[in-house]
Amino acid sequence: MSERNYTTVNPCIMCQPIGSVMAFKGIEDSMVLLHGSQGCSTYMRLHLAHHFREPVDIGSSSLSEKGAVYGGSENLKKGLKNLILRYNPKVIGVSTTCLAETIGDDISRIISEFREEEGIGAERIIIPVPTPSYEESHNSGYIKAVEAIVKTFTMDESKKAIFNNKLNVVLSENISPEDTRELKHVFDSIVGHNSYILLPDISETFDAPMTGELHKIQPGGTTHADIADMKNSAATIGLGITNDNKAVNYLEQTFDIPSQNLPLPIGLEYTDRVLAALSNISGAEIPDEFQKERGRLIDAMVDSHKYVYGTKVAIYGDPNNVLGMLSLALENGMHPILVVASSKSPRFAEQAMERVKQVKPDCDVTILEDVDFDTFNDAVKKAKPQMLIGNSNGKYIAKEMNIPLIRFGFPIHDRVGAQRILTLGYKGAMRMLDRITNTILEVEDTELAAKWSEPESYVPLGESGFHSAEA
Amino acid sequence: MPDTTSVVDTLDERKPYIELKQANKSGELACDNTSIAGAMSQRACVYSGARVALNPVTDAVHLVHGPIGCASYTWDIRGSLSSDKETFRTSFSTDMKELDVVFGGEKKLSKSIDELVELYNPPVIFVYSTCIVGIIGDDLQAICKEATERTGIPVIPVQSEGFKGTKSDGYKAACHALMQLIGTKEPEITSEYRINILGDYNVAGDVWLVKPLFEKMGIQVITSMTGDATADSISKAHGAQLNLVQCSGSMTYLAKWMKKEYGIPFTKVSYFGIEDLSIALRSTAEFFGSEEMMNIAEEIIEQETNRIMPEIQEIRSRLEGKTAAIYMGGAAKALTLIKGFRELGMETVIIGTQTGKRDDYKQISYQVKDGTVIVDDANALELADLLVRQKADLMVAGVKERFLAFKLGVAFCDFNHDRVIEFEGYDGFLNFARELDTTVNSPVWRYVGSKIGDSCTGKNGAEETTDSTAKAGTIKKIDGDNNMQKINPITLQQEPVA
């Protein structure tokens, strides 16, 4: 629109609790209970069901007026009790909403009272996470929940520390189940199947195979033993570099575990970095399989380079995903003119600019963060990209400007297969590049077809064509 | 107290909300209460009720006063279509931050309203309050009143704090907002017969298949609330002589108010299914007492029914004998669906709603056969359990229930916001029948629960051609292994092969 100071128009971000839900869904045998009114849990269930196309159960303390006035302790306890009765989870994440935070409920205290009153034993773990919706975004909610999970599981001093010589891998950004599976394959192949602990792991819980059975809680997720064992590991890798990975910091500060934060392995170089780090840390050779895969990726890049070169692209979404996609675009000679992170991250802009300087210093790029879609749309209109890469909410501007949208990130609610989109690793880069290239070819085909129908007026692609785009 | 012993395993507190319809036994179903904490209700909140009922007003600015989540999850939430402006699809929020919570959001809201007036110049602004606004006590009424005086544009507060009741209370809040507009402009009268369509949200363009039928009967439709409504048409709604209420849960309150305020009577109707649609047209003509109108109505009913019947019959032959589960937000839709299913040869075996009232459930109870389960504010586990126990072939509900049904190998039809095809009117019913045919008779279900090699040994796949045999091989189970209250795993009994 134009200058706005007070209104957010079409939000790019979601609130903190949904981020915490995504983290908890990557833990074995866990449920989440949102302390707030009924709507919060229902909206998040709806949102996640749309994206993952799976049943998503999230409890609610269903706060009513009485609870809001006199405190929500009674409702929270009842909610926990009923959740345990019906789902019997080993782990319950209790995330607050803006309502619970504002009425000032002390959820840690209420949980302790509940444990005592109901005689809940140590075998059932309840993890409080304060996630007021009026602070930050879903990304920070995710990071906070992952930290709370690690803290809770590693807190038990009585368990003797036994060095396990494993590698911790802590995600600071939500990635797709397919991406998670690919990551696990990479780690399995390089550091070994039982030599690393990946947290959180949504590969099964948000993409369960169809068996005819409906599980109350989807099997899968990082095991409890593994999370508890993270304090005994040899090293930690944090994936995602735009924000602080609180769990990684905690493990380093508390248990002296050396750590390294790396970008999400999206595109050739970022994947190289992660694989090289793995090889360094574990001392293992990178298997030939990945050298071959990398070679195939380069082959694909060569195949595609003439089609994608100079294509003006706008990339938007969650910060680490966007940074990775920016890197992939740059490596392939594309021209990322607009790079937008939905939320504010301490190092997003700096990292993005550094990557641009490394590969394409003359690239005229606009980097934005913490903006709504209205601002993003304005920027798109000004920058006139030929392609958008990001989540479903970019469809409005893509339609208006008649440019293709490559769907990637969260949420994708208007197409099937969000849970199966592969972006990570060499394989993911190949898939992504193929999608991008084929989209360009598709557009050209359609444009050329229109021109072929009038042979007289046939001219090579002009301004609107992909090839002629100014780098 | 309804007999629930044999119905479903659930929390004791939930048992009065579930009833098995039995001959000579009429229990009073508990309903119209707030959801039980931790029971995993499929319901949303007061704000959600207000938002879905009011959001389809196409040229309004819908401003959500609260933290970002509430606006984020309800962005373009209804599949309502507009014949003109698309302002309603845009999500506006004051995006309250910590400081707003501490110092109050009133100033930000006022400035936000001014900003939106300047940028959009809308005919009306609806300001929704969220949980947090109710807690910190921002005076929405006063801010809106001042803003109206300052800007000259009606700025209407919608008191929809999420925790202050149920979704039904949200509908009421939406009705209160509409009341502020009604009667503020005089309609241009083009016919001596005038109606309002209430409780239709023009999902996928439903209203566009219904309105022309009334117009053919010589009736002027002043407004349809709120599907494809504009601020202008709503403000003239008092010019009607009759209100037709479809979604009774959301709009009866408004209809009653219009009767009291303007003396406009209302009738409850449905535009879904051949029978209910005919009743809607006939009763409207009867109300106006015009013989000419009655003749046109009969003509429409005959011609249209004859037009769609051959295909309906053909589809019916493939659906005959199948069983359906209904879980709807409102009771009116649930009721009309029972009839719709019957017209397609299907019987309802589970019926539930999120917001049904005592009378609604009585009506439902009259309509369904013995052995049908009636449930209020069902949760995910109950629904899953019921789908298996009642052997439903199909479920009609919304997105949250879709994947639950799919995982159990049950066909599914979306009759909620997500729908992209019309289900009302004659062509809408045809669409509905086609959709059921598509999902119930898809061969995918025969593969659910199968293993590698099954297709070679004839356990599923090409050898089996009828659906009953296809489903028979399927194991449907809700996992209850790690439950504290031991619930036996539920296995669908082998159906006799015809």
Side-chain angles (χ1 to χ4, degrees):
Chain A
M1 240 6 241
S2 53
E3 277 305 297
R4 280 181 293 104
N5 295 308
Y6 304 99
T7 323
T8 295
V9 182
N10 295 340
C12 279
I13 53 165
M14 286 145 276
C15 60
Q16 289 204 106
I18 203 174
S20 77
V21 170
M22 290 195 270
F24 277 108
K25 290 284 175 187
I27 309 304
E28 176 196 36
D29 202 0
S30 73
M31 281 291 286
V32 190
L33 185 106
L34 296 181
H35 187 31
S37 54
Q38 181 63 49
C40 302
S41 106
T42 306
Y43 280 134
M44 289 172 213
R45 292 175 64 195
L46 195 65
H47 223 63
L48 293 168
H50 263 294
H51 178 82
F52 291 106
R53 291 177 190 261
E54 290 283 317
V56 182
D57 284 0
I58 303 170
S60 170
S61 60
S62 308
L63 273 187
S64 61
E65 193 148 23
K66 193 177 146 229
V69 176
Y70 299 108
S73 159
E74 198 186 316
N75 272 61
L76 178 53
K77 287 175 186 173
K78 193 170 170 185
L80 283 167
K81 197 175 167 184
N82 283 338
L83 196 76
I84 291 168
L85 271 173
R86 293 290 276 157
Y87 288 83
N88 195 22
K90 289 266 166 53
V91 177
I92 305 173
V94 178
S95 301
T96 58
T97 61
C98 54
L99 175 60
E101 286 289 329
T102 311
I103 62 174
D105 272 358
D106 180 351
I107 51 168
S108 298
R109 184 185 53 79
I110 299 169
I111 291 167
S112 318
E113 279 174 18
F114 171 76
R115 298 194 76 105
E116 203 164 304
E117 285 161 18
E118 298 290 329
I120 305 286
E123 74 287 350
R124 203 180 307 276
I125 295 158
I126 305 176
I127 307 175
V129 194
T131 44
S133 322
Y134 45 73
E135 272 174 19
E136 301 174 90
S137 70
H138 60 286
N139 295 310
S140 55
Y142 186 83
I143 292 168
K144 279 181 190 172
V146 173
E147 184 198 22
I149 291 162
V150 172
K151 271 189 178 172
T152 309
F153 275 94
T154 56
M155 218 183 299
D156 193 350
E157 300 281 339
S158 64
K159 288 212 176 105
K160 227 174 111 190
I162 302 165
F163 181 65
N164 65 18
N165 202 23
K166 285 184 182 178
L167 174 66
N168 298 322
V169 186
V170 184
L171 285 158
S172 77
E173 184 118 332
N174 178 52
I175 57 171
S176 79
E178 185 80 21
D179 276 336
T180 316
R181 287 191 283 269
E182 178 65 15
L183 258 191
K184 282 161 79 176
H185 172 66
V186 170
F187 281 86
D188 280 347
S189 312
I190 299 176
V191 289
H193 183 54
N194 283 318
S195 304
Y196 70 96
I197 301 165
L198 174 75
L199 177 80
D201 175 5
I202 59 161
S203 59
E204 302 288 320
T205 55
F206 265 142
D207 192 11
M210 188 93 163
T211 58
E213 273 182 85
L214 178 70
H215 296 277
K216 289 183 173 181
I217 299 171
Q218 289 296 0
T222 314
T223 66
H224 304 156
D226 270 357
I227 309 172
D229 202 20
M230 286 175 93
K231 67 175 173 187
N232 304 318
S233 293
T236 304
I237 283 182
L239 288 180
I241 50 172
T242 65
N243 21 25
D244 289 319
N245 195 327
K246 293 183 174 187
V248 173
N249 297 350
Y250 168 78
L251 286 167
E252 176 155 322
Q253 281 157 17
T254 316
F255 304 105
D256 240 357
I257 301 172
S259 67
Q260 196 175 351
N261 281 304
L262 295 166
L264 278 178
I266 300 176
L268 179 78
E269 286 191 41
Y270 281 174
T271 305
D272 281 351
R273 269 179 74 177
V274 173
L275 264 58
L278 284 186
S279 171
N280 274 337
I281 294 167
S282 65
E285 286 272 307
I286 293 170
D288 204 33
E289 173 196 351
F290 293 105
Q291 294 294 359
K292 277 188 187 165
E293 217 168 81
R294 189 174 183 275
R296 273 188 211 106
L297 169 61
I298 299 170
D299 201 46
M301 289 165 79
V302 172
D303 287 345
S304 287
H305 80 279
K306 284 193 187 177
Y307 304 111
V308 299
Y309 183 82
T311 299
K312 290 187 207 164
V313 60
I315 303 163
Y316 63 95
D318 292 338
N320 285 302
N321 274 311
V322 169
L323 182 66
M325 199 48 69
L326 167 72
S327 181
L328 185 148
L330 286 165
E331 288 162 2
N332 285 284
M334 297 175 87
H335 188 154
I337 48 175
L338 185 58
V339 179
V340 182
S342 55
S343 55
K344 205 166 173 56
S345 310
R347 281 174 300 281
F348 171 73
E350 166 202 325
Q351 296 281 1
M353 200 37 102
E354 194 189 315
R355 190 72 190 120
V356 172
K357 276 187 191 145
Q358 282 167 358
V359 189
K360 206 177 171 89
D362 60 333
C363 185
D364 179 18
V365 57
T366 305
I367 297 169
L368 300 174
E369 58 183 326
D370 197 20
V371 296
D372 58 14
F373 269 100
D374 206 33
T375 310
F376 172 67
N377 290 356
D378 282 349
V380 169
K381 278 179 196 163
K382 204 170 146 212
K384 296 192 180 66
Q386 293 160 300
M387 176 182 278
L388 297 179
I389 302 179
N391 61 42
S392 283
N393 292 330
K395 67 180 176 179
Y396 303 94
I397 188 73
K399 210 170 171 185
E400 190 184 327
M401 295 191 59
N402 192 27
I403 49 176
L405 163 62
I406 307 265
R407 281 167 178 79
F408 142 87
F410 176 82
I412 298 170
H413 45 68
D414 60 341
R415 293 288 185 275
V416 295
Q419 66 280 51
R420 294 182 289 272
I421 292 179
L422 179 63
T423 315
L424 262 50
Y426 300 125
K427 214 181 261 173
M430 249 183 289
R431 295 258 185 96
M432 206 63 206
L433 183 58
D434 285 348
R435 280 173 75 199
I436 292 170
T437 311
N438 286 333
T439 303
I440 291 171
L441 291 172
E442 190 81 40
V443 171
E444 289 192 349
D445 259 358
T446 321
E447 284 188 10
L448 283 175
K451 291 187 167 106
W452 283 336
S453 65
E454 296 170 79
E456 293 299 308
S457 66
Y458 175 74
V459 278
L461 282 173
E463 271 289 286
S464 62
F466 278 98
H467 287 163
S468 63
E470 281 289 316
Chain B
M1 178 86 172
D3 175 18
T4 56
T5 44
S6 57
V7 184
V8 68
D9 289 310
T10 190
L11 298 166
D12 286 342
E13 266 180 288
R14 282 281 312 148
K15 287 187 174 160
Y17 296 85
I18 307 168
E19 179 187 22
L20 185 70
K21 165 89 186 284
Q22 284 166 299
N24 309 323
K25 236 183 167 185
S26 131
E28 283 259 292
L29 193 70
C31 59
D32 207 12
N33 293 324
T34 50
S35 299
I36 297 163
M40 206 71 56
S41 166
Q42 304 293 95
R43 276 181 187 162
C45 57
V46 181
Y47 162 72
S48 135
R51 179 84 190 218
V52 293
L54 208 51
N55 199 61
V57 180
T58 58
D59 54 0
V61 157
H62 299 267
L63 172 61
V64 183
H65 186 35
I68 202 65
C70 301
S72 207
Y73 306 122
T74 54
W75 181 5
D76 201 6
I77 192 171
R78 286 209 91 137
S80 301
L81 298 185
S82 166
S83 44
D84 190 13
K85 291 261 170 55
E86 297 279 340
T87 318
F88 73 119
R89 290 193 193 283
T90 309
S91 178
F92 300 99
S93 168
T94 52
D95 188 7
M96 289 172 82
K97 302 289 188 199
E98 197 166 6
L99 282 181
D100 303 316
V101 177
V102 176
F103 296 110
E106 295 187 347
K107 271 192 190 146
K108 192 175 192 183
L109 175 58
S110 287
K111 289 186 171 158
S112 180
I113 292 167
D114 289 346
E115 199 167 72
L116 291 170
V117 169
E118 205 187 313
L119 291 172
Y120 290 83
N121 192 31
V124 63
I125 298 179
F126 295 113
V127 183
Y128 299 75
S129 57
T130 55
C131 285
I132 208 159
V133 174
I135 291 297
I136 65 171
D138 279 1
D139 191 345
L140 211 61
Q141 302 276 355
I143 299 161
C144 290
K145 195 167 166 243
E146 277 167 31
T148 305
E149 282 160 13
R150 192 170 61 244
T151 61
I153 285 167
V155 180
I156 299 175
V158 187
Q159 295 293 350
S160 51
E161 293 85 350
F163 60 86
K164 278 191 174 165
T166 65
K167 205 172 168 186
S168 297
D169 297 293
Y171 296 152
K172 256 186 203 170
C175 289
H176 274 288
L178 293 168
M179 289 171 197
Q180 314 288 307
L181 273 181
I182 294 168
T184 55
K185 280 186 189 170
E186 283 312 311
E188 303 128 46
I189 289 166
T190 58
S191 165
E192 59 177 304
Y193 311 113
R194 297 177 302 279
I195 61 166
N196 294 318
I197 291 175
L198 301 191
D200 194 300
Y201 297 97
N202 202 31
V203 174
D206 274 341
V207 166
W208 299 333
L209 292 183
V210 174
K211 210 172 141 188
L213 302 176
F214 290 114
E215 286 169 346
K216 222 179 255 177
M217 288 159 63
I219 298 168
Q220 178 186 358
V221 179
I222 293 192
T223 188
S224 65
M225 279 190 263
T226 56
D228 200 23
T230 57
D232 184 68
S233 73
I234 294 169
S235 62
K236 296 168 179 170
H238 62 295
Q241 298 140 318
L242 174 69
N243 279 325
L244 297 181
V245 180
Q246 182 171 237
C247 176
S248 56
S250 59
M251 286 285 156
T252 306
Y253 188 70
L254 184 73
K256 280 184 178 164
W257 176 81
M258 286 179 84
K259 192 177 173 190
K260 199 171 137 229
E261 195 77 12
Y262 298 102
I264 305 169
F266 67 92
T267 34
K268 292 185 182 178
V269 295
S270 163
Y271 315 116
F272 173 78
I274 297 169
E275 188 190 331
D276 277 354
L277 188 54
S278 307
I279 293 172
L281 300 181
R282 278 194 191 113
S283 63
T284 308
E286 246 162 50
F287 172 83
F288 288 115
S290 152
E291 202 174 315
E292 194 194 343
M293 192 191 287
M294 188 55 100
N295 290 338
I296 301 173
E298 291 302 335
E299 214 171 284
I300 293 172
I301 292 166
E302 196 190 328
Q303 276 181 7
E304 290 291 281
T305 309
N306 288 342
R307 181 172 64 83
I308 65 165
M309 232 8 166
E311 194 178 338
I312 294 284
Q313 293 293 7
E314 191 205 320
I315 293 173
R316 190 189 156 107
S317 69
R318 289 192 291 270
L319 294 176
E320 196 96 54
K322 303 280 183 195
T323 53
I326 301 169
Y327 193 69
M328 286 287 116
K333 209 150 61 175
L335 256 168
T336 194
L337 264 164
I338 303 172
K339 290 193 199 171
F341 276 127
R342 243 170 237 163
E343 286 170 23
L344 294 169
M346 295 176 69
E347 209 55 64
T348 303
V349 290
I350 306 164
I351 181 158
T353 85
Q354 291 175 16
T355 59
K357 305 277 193 303
R358 188 151 294 171
D359 282 349
D360 297 323
Y361 288 117
K362 260 191 199 147
Q363 285 295 322
I364 285 172
S365 191
Y366 295 141
Q367 289 289 339
V368 294
K369 279 193 167 174
D370 286 352
T372 303
V373 172
I374 308 172
V375 54
D376 177 69
D377 188 21
N379 57 54
L381 291 184
E382 288 164 4
L383 286 172
D385 195 356
L386 286 172
L387 281 179
V388 176
R389 289 187 182 215
Q390 294 289 92
K391 297 179 190 169
D393 294 306
L394 167 87
M395 181 175 213
V396 177
V399 183
K400 289 192 305 299
E401 295 86 33
R402 186 197 298 162
F403 303 105
L404 191 130
F406 281 174
K407 284 280 183 220
L408 288 166
V410 175
F412 188 84
C413 167
D414 204 309
F415 206 152
N416 220 322
H417 316 308
D418 265 32
R419 170 159 71 88
V420 289
I421 43 171
E422 316 91 314
F423 282 169
E424 288 177 11
Y426 291 96
D427 287 304
F429 191 59
L430 202 50
N431 287 339
F432 179 73
R434 285 171 185 155
E435 168 123 350
L436 296 201
D437 188 21
T438 307
T439 182
V440 171
N441 294 319
S442 168
V444 296
W445 307 119
R446 75 181 62 182
Y447 299 106
V448 176
S450 65
K451 295 247 170 356
I452 298 167
D454 284 356
S455 58
C456 315
T457 55
K459 279 197 185 157
N460 60 33
E463 283 90 336
E464 285 174 289
T465 46
T466 67
D467 294 287
S468 55
T469 53
K471 288 206 99 160
T474 304
I475 304 154
K476 286 196 222 167
K477 203 168 99 172
I478 305 170
D479 144 68
D481 293 348
N482 53 3
N483 205 3
M484 239 164 72
Q485 266 189 344
K486 191 74 183 165
I487 296 173
N488 294 328
I490 300 139
T491 310
L492 186 67
Q493 292 302 307
Q494 189 97 4
E495 283 172 4
V497 180

